[in-house]
Amino acid sequence: MEKHRQFFSTLLTVMKIAGPPLFIVLLTFSLGVAKDVYSQELLKRRICIDVSNEEFRNVLSRIEKTADVKFSFVPQLISVHAKVSVSAQGETLASVLDEVLSPLKISYEVSGKYIVLKKNVISLPTTLVLPRPMIEGSTVRGKVTDVKGELLIGTTVFLNQTRNQIVDQEGMFVFNNVLDGKYTIQFTSVGFKSLKKEIDVKGGDLRLDIVMMEDNLQLDQVVVTSGGSPKKKIESSVAVTTISAKQLTQRPPLNSTDMLKAIPGLSVESSGGDGPGSVRVRGLPGGGYVFMGVMEDGLPVLPTGFTTSPSADQYYKVDLTVKNVEAVRGGNASVILANTPGALINVLSNTGGETFGGKVKYTRGLSQNANRVDLNLGGPLSSKVKFNVGGFYRGDAGIRPPSYRANEGGQLKMNLTYQIKPNSYIRFYGKYLNDKTTWLVPAYYSYDGSGQGRALPGFDPLTEILATRDTKVDLTGPDGKKRSYDFADGVHLKSVSGGMEFKHTTSGEWTFKNSMRYQSTKGGFVGAVVTSPSTYKSSVKYYYPDGQELVNPTGYYTGQNFTGTTTRDNQFVDILDIGKQIGRHSLSFGGAFHSYDVNTYTLGATFYTEIKDKPHTLLIGDNKGNGYSGVNIANYRDGLTTISSVTVSDEINLGKLTTDLGLRVDRFHVKGNRLQNVAPFTNVTAFDESNTYFTGSLGLNYKVNDEHALFARATKTYSALNINDYSNFNFNPETVKDRGVFMAEGGYKVNTSRFALFSSLIYARLTNIASTMAIPNTTAGFINIGTFASSRNLSAEIEAIYTPSKMLNFRLTTTFQNSKYTKYEVTAPENAREDLAGKPYIWSGNNAERIPSYIIELSASYTYKVFDAFLSFRQIGKRYTSPSNVYRLNGYNEISAGLDCKISKAIGLRVWADNLANSRGLTEGNIRGDQFLANGAFEKGSLQIGRVILPRSFWTALTISF
């Protein structure tokens, strides 16, 4: 810990000394190279193209891909169906444009990255000279900004669909010689809703100041994580949610899992604080990240399929380097990433823009001792090289402060992009992550039948913590080795990764993209979970570790299960995508390889503590020893997993109807050593397992018009066993199976100027769920009986945006779900408790555990001058704690609010609050054996175990942009 702090102290000192000079050098250099020569550089780009008698629109599309440019033109003036032939090998873009456009009587102008096409005026033969009156009209000009006054450079402006302009660097557009009359002027810009306005020109110049509203649902924007070729959401049969950088700023997530609450179809439990979270996807029973994959810049941070050890949310962090987050819900996720049947998220990083710029943000926790600094900086180093660098560092006492600093650390991310040719680039990535977090685990609450986490006398699970203040302990394992642990280390991950991305489009329009990354991680977890309470006895003496005896203790103390884990893993992942447009077909082929080499060792033990905030460890009976007993090897993993994959997809454009078919084959090879958990506790049994899995997904999208679309998709896939299953001490192939998943969905999309909707109905089926029923025995313990269960889920997901004015915006995200077990039954053995022995227990038809019946979030944002206000109301429906459905957790509410003030163009101040009402909702209740009790059997005021959502918190942040 001391070395850790010294490292960051040194790093901060270096940043203080080198930061300002480096900033000035980079700024000066960037300003020097960022001159108005972009147009000339663009036209000098050399491209290869060879087409014969193809439609003009197809030729433009090929030039866009090859030269990395965008064309803007009025379709009514330019015939896109005209046949064109051109052959060029390494010629400049200017010469290719002249060859293509001159025969069509088309001229062009360059505006930034856009090439504006215009129809030439046809000159009359010189032999017939007719007098022509000079036609002078009015000028229509204006400025285009967003609601905060930021210039929207690059916006396309159409006048009556006969003339077009690109908004310049000053945010201005100008149409000269506009005759008197009525016109329709239209504005389109990436990330904003299209805007149409009727104007009337009457013998004078007209000035228009246009304010465009953000397209928060982004149905008209292109997404890159949908599989196959990038496409607009409204044209895709994939359910995709985009979380923009603005949304991340508007409501900053408390942790990586908390961010996922913005995505419909996900039942998110972020009550673990900055520690591992849990996500249930589309009603599939199973938490952690069993059915959801996590990618960073298109590559997985972990193989999908693990719960909390390891936990994918600890391998990535959200900071200013994040450009946006794309979430694919449903079957197509399984085509994009191996073993990912439910959903995946792709965290996309900033990669540097055409101009130098950046942000620095300081965040302060007003209700807890938390300080955090974020930085992002990027721009051009030369005409062909761009960079981006950033990260964060934080120190945080914790939202439920233990006796030590709960969260401390940060990350540094960087990338460098070299534009080899207009159609080729290579990008290098690097990341260093060193972060320590406290995992908030279940604690005691007072049962009152409400399903809320009520406070006990002397302990409140909402704001207090049962983490022992006696943090350091030495334990000798069954193998005879002595190991030292410190609870203050919590969940600690140190990870270094580096990779590259290469993309190239050939003259024949074959697109090749290869991404790879190597990642090395070391980490561990030290913590404990409470087991059961006991009453202090007057006949027994109790001591603290320092030997001090407790005087007449009353009430309860508790047992806790200690966990001390050390782990390391090395990963290499490589994904290759090859694409080609052939007529109406957009073909995509790919291959992937992912190796995951892991070694994990976990010691377990039992100890006792008081039930109060930051309790002491207790020694019972005498004051000798450290209070820990029953030391055991709780977990052992040592092995290598390799996943080799082949994918193929075809998207067929049939006009308004688009169909796509995706196929994936994954070959899993898992080999390693299974520890023989008996003396001498060093012998192992080798295992070597290979399995092949298939995924198929078929999608349809019917675009009724530019504002309405229908889609449907059906997917058959799998959820595979992983190294955790094969490493189990008592592994028995008869008690585990690969899970089968079938998912079908259909939906409706709307995208108008004021209203946008993405809705879907889902059916999901899961088979071969390896389940364990814990049945009480005759000695107050439990007998674990294994069985296989099946489930089905019917759900509806709605994501909607309504913008009644340019100042006011409403967002609604809802998930309604009915997840039930279709098969779940077991018979209690003869050595079970007397009233249970021999009885069958059939839970088929019961609700799946911890999956709420509905999740509704309604938020509103209002912008007034320099202020931007935000308010969110979120309600979680009822859930059951276990498959028996005897203990129901009632719903709860969460209210969040924030206010942003733009002090100047470069400085912004934001204050916000989470869980304003201080709700005491439970994300899980007491599931340890209570499935055999009716609700009425719980005594009011009895101690139950559960995890309460995070308490009310207040925050402020100051952001400086440059």
Side-chain angles (χ1 to χ4, degrees), residues 41 63 163 196 250 327 375 432 606 726 773 872 886 909:
E41 292 290 337
I63 294 175
R163 300 170 67 179
K196 286 184 180 181
Q250 195 173 54
L375 171 70
Y432 174 69
T606 299
Y726 295 119
M773 191 177 292
S872 171
V886 299
L909 178 66

Side-chain angles (χ1 to χ4, degrees), residues 270-490:
S270 59
S271 53
D274 287 71
S278 183
V279 183
R280 284 167 169 76
V281 183
R282 287 191 159 181
L284 299 177
Y289 288 82
V290 172
F291 300 115
M292 193 184 91
V294 176
M295 306 175 82
E296 190 170 35
D297 294 313
L299 295 173
V301 300
L302 268 179
T304 306
F306 296 105
T307 52
T308 57
S309 181
S311 183
D313 54 18
Q314 298 302 297
Y315 283 73
Y316 78 98
K317 303 292 178 179
V318 179
D319 57 23
L320 286 180
T321 63
V322 175
K323 179 182 179 181
N324 59 43
V325 179
E326 292 180 355
V328 176
R329 315 188 309 272
N332 204 58
S334 58
V335 178
I336 300 172
L337 189 60
N339 199 30
T340 308
L344 70 83
I345 65 166
N346 188 10
V347 181
L348 299 171
S349 302
N350 289 306
T351 55
E354 301 294 340
T355 58
F356 178 84
K359 288 183 178 180
V360 60
K361 180 171 73 171
Y362 169 69
T363 303
R364 170 67 181 172
L366 302 178
S367 51
Q368 63 195 75
N369 185 16
N371 296 279
R372 171 170 168 150
V373 177
D374 287 64
L375 171 70
N376 188 70
L377 183 68
L381 293 176
S382 71
S383 59
K384 290 189 175 183
V385 181
K386 300 176 184 176
F387 81 100
N388 199 88
V389 62
F392 77 94
Y393 179 79
R394 54 88 181 270
D396 180 4
I399 199 164
R400 294 186 187 117
S403 59
Y404 41 85
R405 177 169 284 190
N407 308 306
E408 185 175 20
Q411 74 174 0
L412 179 66
K413 291 171 60 178
M414 61 191 73
N415 59 70
L416 188 73
T417 304
Y418 177 65
Q419 196 79 34
I420 304 171
K421 295 180 179 180
N423 56 346
S424 303
Y425 71 83
I426 186 169
R427 180 174 295 139
F428 299 95
Y429 288 97
K431 184 175 81 169
Y432 174 69
L433 170 65
N434 188 344
D435 198 32
K436 185 215 54 160
T437 65
T438 292
W439 191 9
L440 302 178
V441 294
Y444 291 108
Y445 67 96
S446 177
Y447 175 78
D448 66 355
S450 68
Q452 303 291 307
R454 303 301 183 193
L456 300 170
F459 178 74
D460 188 347
L462 181 67
T463 58
E464 298 177 333
I465 192 168
L466 288 178
T468 178
R469 61 175 55 250
D470 302 306
T471 63
K472 295 182 179 181
V473 59
D474 295 328
L475 297 177
T476 301
D479 58 359
K481 293 183 179 180
K482 184 178 180 180
R483 295 172 174 86
S484 298
Y485 299 95
D486 189 342
F487 281 91
D489 288 337

Side-chain angles (χ1 to χ4, degrees), residues 194-299:
S194 297
L195 176 65
K196 286 184 180 181
K197 189 176 183 66
E198 303 297 326
I199 62 173
D200 192 359
V201 179
K202 295 180 179 180
D205 293 347
L206 187 62
R207 166 83 184 209
L208 300 172
D209 286 327
I210 301 300
V211 178
M212 299 187 70
M213 294 178 289
E214 287 193 69
D215 181 10
N216 291 308
L217 205 52
Q218 302 186 49
L219 287 179
D220 212 28
Q221 306 308 313
V222 174
V223 291
V224 300
T225 320
S226 58
S229 58
K231 57 184 72 67
K232 294 181 179 180
K233 288 186 187 180
I234 201 164
E235 298 171 348
S236 171
S237 60
V238 181
V240 182
T241 295
T242 303
I243 305 174
S244 67
K246 179 185 176 181
Q247 289 171 300
L248 292 174
T249 301
Q250 195 173 54
R251 186 188 179 278
L254 295 174
N255 48 64
S256 297
T257 307
D258 191 59
M259 173 187 68
L260 306 179
K261 291 179 178 179
I263 303 170
L266 304 185
S267 304
V268 178
E269 296 179 2
S270 59
S271 53
D274 287 71
S278 183
V279 183
R280 284 167 169 76
V281 183
R282 287 191 159 181
L284 299 177
Y289 288 82
V290 172
F291 300 115
M292 193 184 91
V294 176
M295 306 175 82
E296 190 170 35
D297 294 313
L299 295 173

Side-chain angles (χ1 to χ4, degrees), residues 775-776 778 783 827-841:
I775 300 178
T778 57
I783 306 167
T827 300
E830 293 303 321
N831 59 338
R833 203 173 63 200
E834 185 176 353
D835 60 321
L836 306 175
K839 293 183 179 179
Y841 289 90

Side-chain angles (χ1 to χ4, degrees), residues 672-736:
N673 297 309
R674 183 182 306 116
L675 180 69
Q676 297 177 14
N677 201 12
V678 294
F681 299 98
T682 56
N683 295 332
V684 296
T685 300
F687 60 84
D688 194 327
E689 303 284 344
S690 294
N691 293 286
T692 302
Y693 306 96
F694 298 88
T695 293
S697 185
L698 175 64
L700 302 171
N701 191 87
Y702 182 74
K703 190 176 179 181
V704 180
N705 52 42
D706 288 340
E707 296 180 342
H708 300 267
L710 302 168
F711 77 97
R713 176 169 293 277
T715 303
K716 186 175 182 181
T717 186
Y718 68 94
S719 176
L721 302 178
N722 58 43
I723 194 168
N724 283 9
D725 298 299
Y726 295 119
S727 298
N728 193 305
F729 299 139
N730 300 313
F731 175 77
N732 181 351
E734 300 299 321
T735 60
V736 290

Side-chain angles (χ1 to χ4, degrees), residues 197 282 393 413 442 468 470 501 538 562 590 602 621 628 706 725 738 769 778 791 836 838 858-859 871 878 889 905:
K197 189 176 183 66
R282 287 191 159 181
Y393 179 79
K413 291 171 60 178
T468 178
D470 302 306
E501 178 182 307
S538 58
F562 167 86
T602 302
Y628 288 73
D706 288 340
D725 298 299
D738 295 307
I769 308 170
T778 57
S791 73
L836 306 175
L858 176 63
S859 61
L871 179 65
K878 66 179 182 180
L889 298 178
K905 187 176 181 179

